[in-house]
Amino acid sequence: MARTFQVGDTFTHVRECDLYRPIYYAGASGDFNPIHIDPEVGKVAGLNGVILQGLCTLAWAVEAVGLFVGDPGRIRKVKVRFSRPVRPEDVVTFEGKVIALEADRLTTEVTATNQRGEAVLKGAIVEASLG
Amino acid sequence: MAIDKRFIGREYGPYTYTIGAEKLREFALAVGGAHPAAGTPGEPPEHVSPLLYDDAAAKKGPYGDIIAFPSFAVVFAIRPFGAAVADPELGVNLLMLVHGEQELEFLDVMRPGDVMTTTGRIENIYGKAGMEFVVVATESRNQRGDVVVKGLWTGVIRS
């Protein structure tokens, strides 16, 4: 499965936050903060309903790079800033680009945008090993 | 109300967590987009790597067993951050708390049976743009004492 990578290579990954994804992610991760599962609490918190766990959005960015390098076990680092929440029924497009390449390490920059063109992650950095 | 900076340096943990195979599958498939049903994590979507859920495929693969989806680490490594923001002395309004930033570093893969021990420390507390920020650094070691995951967690308390 040897493939070569170059600075400037790009990749795209699209994920939909289906209606119950925040609840499924809560079950799998243990993050049951009510702002993720209870629309009423989401409203009281000023979030206009529930929002997806930021760490699920992070996981999708990691997934995008894992697919690009062909092995999720090669992910070595992720660094994100959550610009805007993802909500149920949002469709998030992850666009990545290789910004650095060393002997055994590939660094990508990933931006995630919802269906309205709003950034949910800006300039996330994900690194993977190539050795 | 500003959070008192004197809590910078406060430590939380250690917290110990034993990684189980079914939990790894459940997490990988929930992230991957499966629909859990009838006591199963659901059918794996096509894009999900078999290294994350298929024992037979994983045994033939590079790691000899299924491995954790990398950010599965948050399941156990979040503990010190959770303890810090719920620490009554800090007085964080959890309803106003959102996740601002996150860094995770993975020094090795994680497999079923690994026993992870996590400690954490409040690295910083500051105010910016009318909001309060709490930053917690974590380190998770496996049963051999090797650091496998480092985390930097930034919570934002909206005003």
Side-chain angles (χ1 to χ4, degrees), chain A residues 15 21 60 71 76 78 80, chain B residues 31 34 63 102 104 106 158:
Chain A
R15 291 300 309 269
R21 194 56 44 191
W60 289 347
D71 175 355
R76 285 291 165 270
V78 54
V80 309
Chain B
V31 164
Y63 308 110
Q102 181 68 50
L104 293 166
F106 311 104
R158 300 168 298 138

Side-chain angles (χ1 to χ4, degrees), chain A residues 4-129:
Chain A
T4 55
F5 298 95
Q6 290 186 332
V7 172
D9 283 354
T10 60
F11 52 96
T12 302
H13 186 52
V14 179
R15 291 300 309 269
E16 183 190 354
C17 177
D18 51 304
L19 193 56
Y20 297 137
R21 194 56 44 191
I23 295 171
Y24 298 150
Y25 185 83
S29 69
D31 183 352
F32 282 95
N33 185 327
I35 64 172
H36 303 306
I37 56 176
D38 186 336
E40 291 304 316
V41 173
K43 278 179 202 154
V44 172
L47 297 168
N48 196 27
V50 300
I51 61 172
L52 181 67
Q53 291 86 347
L55 288 172
C56 188
T57 314
L58 174 149
W60 289 347
V62 166
E63 181 177 65
V65 180
L67 289 167
F68 177 62
V69 300
D71 175 355
R74 292 181 181 271
I75 303 296
R76 285 291 165 270
K77 198 171 187 177
V78 54
K79 180 177 181 178
V80 309
R81 174 176 294 176
F82 302 107
S83 304
R84 179 187 301 275
V86 172
R87 300 174 183 287
E89 303 190 309
D90 277 357
V91 177
V92 184
T93 300
F94 296 81
E95 291 181 300
K97 185 163 88 172
V98 177
I99 58 168
L101 203 52
E102 288 163 40
D104 60 350
R105 182 71 65 117
L106 171 147
T107 303
T108 67
E109 187 178 86
V110 180
T111 295
T113 310
N114 66 22
Q115 70 278 17
R116 289 176 296 278
E118 300 159 335
V120 297
L121 298 180
K122 261 187 270 189
I125 298 294
V126 184
E127 296 180 15
S129 67

Side-chain angles (χ1 to χ4, degrees), chain B residues 109-153:
Chain B
V109 297
M110 292 163 277
R111 299 174 176 84
D114 282 352
V115 180
M116 309 302 299
T117 300
T118 300
T119 54
R121 173 182 186 275
I122 297 181
E123 282 294 301
N124 204 358
I125 293 172
Y126 60 95
K128 198 172 78 180
M131 297 184 289
E132 293 284 316
F133 292 73
V134 176
V135 184
V136 175
T138 62
E139 194 174 82
S140 304
R141 293 174 184 266
N142 64 15
Q143 64 275 24
R144 293 176 290 279
D146 303 326
V147 177
V148 175
V149 184
K150 292 182 185 174
L152 196 64
W153 309 68

